[in-house]
Amino acid sequence: MPDSENTNQHFHAPLNQPRALRIGVAGPVGTGKSSILATLCRILAGELSMAVVTNDIYTDEDARFLRSAGVLPTERIRAVETGACPHTAIRDDVSANLDAVEDLEEAYGPLDLVLVESGGDNLTATFSPALADAQIFCIDVAGGGDVARKGGPGITGADLLVINKTDLAPHVEVDVAGMVADAQAVRDGLPVLALSKHDPASVTELADWVRSVLARHRAGSHVPTDPGPMAPHSHSHP
């Protein structure tokens, strides 16, 4: 087993094509990460060559959801079963995800965009820059109006924070504007998007953000940043 200083090193045969932009999507269970991926695929697949990698601990549930939704050809959706806490495969040892991403690029490239969905984790989950060029962190109004101000590396440092399922706010008595303000206060100018898949304007804003990151990636001006290491914590799994 490689030591901890080398767990994110990964060597692969060079691709004879430009490398796709890799965007990671993380957030707690049930916040709508798979729905965000499906929405982006529906909007962007007509203009971009895309693929998706999903992460679950023991299943391929998220990959099967996306395949059944028909948002991409099924062979362009790969599942990684992490066998451990979800952050392990996106932060600590990203080799399984890198293998899946690079296999998709070799099989179907040149690709413009690969979306990598983390398994559901807590508010500290972040992607290694060795895996993701940019990161979306997803929370939702049903998780409570105080979630955004609790902070954590995912909320404070991800390239884009999505406050999802805003259409549910009246039913869970959450003030979306207040939640956005709380998020902006802890994000030091980084963008915050209040999103509902039923709100075309917010969906367009999400797609435009992806397009803008892709444009900078193609121009060589986008520099991946690290939201910060996860705080020490533990999980117990059955």
Side-chain angles (χ1 to χ4, degrees):
M1 177 69 67
D3 61 44
S4 60
E5 292 183 353
N6 294 322
T7 52
N8 280 334
Q9 292 184 5
H10 186 79
F11 301 96
H12 202 280
L15 299 173
N16 295 318
Q17 57 203 28
R19 183 174 72 71
L21 172 68
R22 302 164 182 170
I23 294 181
V25 181
V29 172
T31 53
K33 298 183 297 297
S34 297
S35 178
I36 286 175
L37 265 64
T39 297
L40 285 172
C41 289
R42 288 189 185 100
I43 294 175
L44 296 175
E47 63 187 84
L48 302 176
S49 181
M50 299 176 61
V52 169
V53 175
T54 67
N55 281 223
D56 282 300
I57 298 177
Y58 298 122
T59 75
D60 63 350
E61 181 75 22
D62 291 336
R64 286 189 282 117
F65 164 76
L66 292 170
R67 290 170 185 146
S68 67
V71 294
L72 285 180
T74 57
E75 65 272 12
R76 291 189 178 217
I77 302 171
R78 298 286 176 89
V80 171
E81 295 184 26
T82 65
C85 298
H87 62 260
T88 301
I90 66 165
R91 179 86 195 178
D92 302 329
D93 180 0
V94 301
S95 55
N97 274 301
L98 278 178
D99 281 340
V101 170
E102 292 176 354
D103 286 348
L104 284 164
E105 289 203 73
E106 290 180 344
Y108 305 108
L111 297 176
D112 298 303
L113 175 64
V114 180
L115 301 172
V116 182
E117 178 187 4
S118 171
D121 210 303
N122 58 34
L123 298 179
T124 67
T126 59
F127 283 80
S128 165
L131 174 59
D133 300 303
Q135 310 189 25
I136 298 172
F137 196 82
C138 180
I139 58 177
D140 74 305
V141 299
D146 61 343
V147 174
R149 63 176 176 266
K150 290 182 177 179
I155 288 176
T156 61
D159 298 272
L160 175 67
L161 177 67
V162 169
I163 299 173
N164 202 15
K165 306 181 185 178
T166 56
D167 54 298
L168 298 181
H171 306 287
V172 293
E173 299 182 346
V174 166
D175 174 12
V176 174
M179 202 169 176
V180 169
D182 287 342
Q184 291 171 333
V186 300
R187 281 181 55 77
D188 194 27
L190 291 170
V192 178
L193 173 61
L195 177 72
S196 167
K197 66 181 181 181
H198 304 295
D199 172 28
S202 66
V203 170
T204 297
E205 190 173 347
L206 174 64
D208 285 345
W209 179 85
V210 171
R211 292 183 183 105
S212 71
V213 178
L214 179 59
R216 294 195 301 272
H217 174 74
R218 287 171 169 169
S221 60
H222 176 75
V223 179
T225 59
D226 190 346
M230 296 183 63
H233 66 289
S234 62
H235 295 272
S236 60
H237 296 297

